[in-house]
Amino acid sequence: MKETNSSETYLKTVNVSKRPLLNQKITLSLESPDGPLSTFKNDMKTLYNDHLFSDIVLRTDTEEFQAHRSILSARSPVFRSMFSTDMKEKADKCVEISDLSSDTVRRMLLFLYSDFVEELNLKSAKELYFAADKYDIISLKRRCAVFMQRNLCPSNVCEVLVLADMHQDRDLKSAVYDYIQKNDKKVFASDEWKLFMENNSYIAAHVMHNRYMKN
């Protein structure tokens, strides 16, 4: 099978024999699953938005979200374990979430159903990163990390470094170290860095050691 780009079609050549010694080649055109007629993502969004056949509720301090255990289980090992063992959530058909905002849970569910991430800022990216780490949604965690890496600046680099250290994210921490190495004068002159050194002396010392070793 020869695959073209996602907006084109698959071409498949098959042999059809009407007589023993005569083979005819016929090319069948099959639509690409990501082509213009594919409605999978929109269908999944509709499934979530319309609450059709929902069988679980995710409850924050301010809002409730109806969802489907099969979808959550397919996308998150944590949810899968939660719903496949005799945990409270399985019996009550409700997952209490007190450490995430309603907006973060909504964004997380949108991703689980459609693989789509709404526009982020640093605050929403950090909160969604935390949610992705909590429920072991690796692809979402990676997208949030990439967003933060691409938007590092002297005023937020310390904040991202604390997050990376807290979650033991070596890739994100390495990206932060590289940014500081390349922008050390601006970072070390910032008020954020001065406050960071007061509250995170161990991490700050490690950053300085890393910078010294690379010079």
Side-chain angles (χ1 to χ4, degrees):
M1 180 181 292
K2 178 182 178 183
E3 182 180 351
T4 62
N5 63 49
S6 61
S7 63
E8 296 178 353
T9 59
Y10 290 115
L11 297 179
K12 183 178 181 181
T13 300
V14 296
N15 291 326
V16 178
S17 178
K18 290 185 177 180
R19 289 182 292 179
L21 299 178
L22 179 61
N23 289 332
Q24 294 177 316
K25 289 187 177 181
I26 299 177
T27 299
L28 302 179
S29 178
L30 304 176
E31 182 196 350
S32 165
D34 295 322
L37 298 182
S38 175
T39 62
F40 179 76
K41 288 186 178 181
N42 287 334
D43 291 343
M44 291 298 291
K45 286 182 182 179
T46 299
L47 178 66
Y48 168 64
N49 291 327
D50 292 351
H51 313 306
L52 188 63
F53 307 123
S54 60
D55 56 5
I56 192 70
V57 171
L58 275 60
R59 180 183 296 144
T60 68
D61 292 337
T62 60
E63 198 169 345
E64 290 186 351
F65 300 87
Q66 296 185 45
H68 303 80
R69 283 181 291 185
S70 57
I71 302 296
L72 303 188
S73 298
R75 301 282 276 161
S76 161
V78 175
F79 281 125
R80 185 183 310 128
S81 176
M82 188 183 298
F83 300 143
S84 60
T85 57
D86 293 330
M87 296 181 68
K88 179 177 181 294
E89 291 82 0
K90 180 180 179 181
D92 294 348
K93 296 184 178 181
C94 179
V95 180
E96 299 284 352
I97 304 176
S98 60
D99 55 352
L100 298 176
S101 69
S102 294
D103 181 65
T104 300
V105 172
R106 181 187 60 78
R107 288 171 178 269
M108 179 182 72
L109 286 172
L110 178 61
F111 178 81
L112 291 179
Y113 277 80
S114 66
D115 213 42
F116 176 75
V117 179
E118 286 185 335
E119 185 175 351
L120 296 169
N121 55 38
L122 180 62
K123 181 177 183 295
S124 60
K126 284 178 56 183
E127 293 176 353
L128 199 55
Y129 176 96
F130 177 85
D133 184 71
K134 176 181 179 180
Y135 292 106
D136 198 16
I137 310 169
I138 297 175
S139 56
L140 177 58
K141 182 180 177 181
R142 180 58 185 160
R143 291 198 197 184
C144 294
V146 168
F147 173 85
M148 289 185 282
Q149 290 175 29
R150 292 176 177 174
N151 290 275
L152 288 172
C153 65
S155 63
N156 69 27
V157 67
C158 296
E159 196 174 348
V160 176
L161 179 54
V162 170
L163 184 72
D165 183 74
M166 181 187 305
H167 293 275
Q168 300 181 344
D169 189 331
R170 287 183 292 181
D171 290 338
L172 182 56
K173 184 182 288 189
S174 177
V176 172
Y177 280 5
D178 288 344
Y179 177 86
I180 294 175
Q181 183 75 16
K182 295 174 183 177
N183 302 273
D184 54 350
K185 292 183 179 179
K186 291 181 179 179
V187 172
F188 296 150
S190 68
D191 293 335
E192 288 81 6
W193 178 258
K194 296 173 184 176
L195 183 62
F196 177 78
M197 286 194 298
E198 293 178 8
N199 298 328
N200 302 275
S201 57
Y202 176 79
I203 304 176
H206 195 275
V207 170
M208 299 301 292
H209 175 74
N210 182 74
R211 174 175 174 270
Y212 172 78
M213 293 300 293
K214 288 190 174 182
N215 284 338

